[in-house]
Amino acid sequence: MSALFAAPAFSASLGVNIEVPRLNVSEYHRPYIATWIERADNTVAGTLAVWYDVRTKTNNPEGEGTKWLKDMRQWWRRGGRDLSVPIDGVTGATKPAGKHQLNFTDGSAPMPQLAPGSYKLVVEAAREVGGREVVSIPFQWPPTSASQPSASGKEELGEIKLELKP
């Protein structure tokens, strides 16, 4: 008698570490941050996270927080303006200074099922009474081995680390 055992299917995963630096400025506002994946032709494969002022309509009757999403110009022009926020699992409140971890599994929302090929992780930050900054990290999908490529911003973003696992 023989039994058939199905091997579990494992999906590749992608982790993102985003550092929001502590700035010594007279008027500090938490940055709005968008994180997405771009294909080699610079089209958006999927938006992973958008952090903005998500106060409730009771506290923010005109939706003031969404008004400033367009300040993240690259994300906005590449696809942000076509999204209707809030989006479950994607949008959230702005984050304080520090390191913030996001984890995604291939094909599990909000991460799209990616075809094999070249991609970029892109993180954009914009801050009221501050600046705007974009950091990108190229990567190959699916990953053949674990790796942790990183890049650093100069003012609005600190170290951005991508964690790829096959």
Side-chain angles (χ1 to χ4, degrees):
M1 180 177 205
S2 68
L4 295 176
F5 294 98
F10 293 101
S11 294
S13 66
L14 180 145
V16 181
N17 290 295
I18 299 171
E19 182 180 16
V20 176
R22 184 172 310 280
L23 302 175
N24 187 18
V25 294
S26 60
E27 186 177 343
Y28 179 80
H29 298 273
R30 290 181 179 181
Y32 279 29
I33 295 178
T35 305
W36 70 97
I37 296 174
E38 284 187 358
R39 297 177 191 92
D41 65 358
N42 294 329
T43 59
V44 175
T47 297
L48 300 176
V50 179
W51 300 335
Y52 69 104
D53 185 355
V54 293
R55 288 181 279 178
T56 63
K57 292 199 183 264
T58 306
N59 298 335
N60 191 1
E62 284 86 47
E64 189 74 19
T66 60
K67 175 177 157 182
W68 306 108
L69 287 171
K70 63 183 173 263
D71 285 355
M72 293 183 291
R73 293 192 302 257
Q74 188 168 326
W75 170 77
W76 185 255
R77 290 177 182 150
R78 301 243 169 106
R81 66 177 151 214
D82 298 328
L83 299 176
S84 179
V85 296
I87 304 166
D88 282 344
V90 173
T91 56
T94 58
K95 306 294 185 220
K99 294 183 179 186
H100 305 279
Q101 173 76 37
L102 301 167
N103 292 299
F104 307 98
T105 301
D106 189 30
S108 295
M111 181 153 167
Q113 184 78 40
L114 297 175
S118 297
Y119 294 91
K120 283 188 294 191
L121 172 76
V122 185
V123 179
E124 180 173 18
R127 191 172 52 82
E128 184 181 355
V129 193
R132 182 182 145 291
E133 188 164 38
V134 179
V135 173
S136 65
I137 301 172
F139 67 96
Q140 292 294 312
W141 194 263
T144 55
S145 62
S147 65
Q148 293 186 343
S150 65
S152 290
K154 294 186 173 125
E155 291 182 21
E156 300 301 328
L157 292 167
E159 182 183 37
I160 308 299
K161 188 185 300 181
L162 178 60
E163 295 177 356
L164 298 166
K165 295 178 185 170

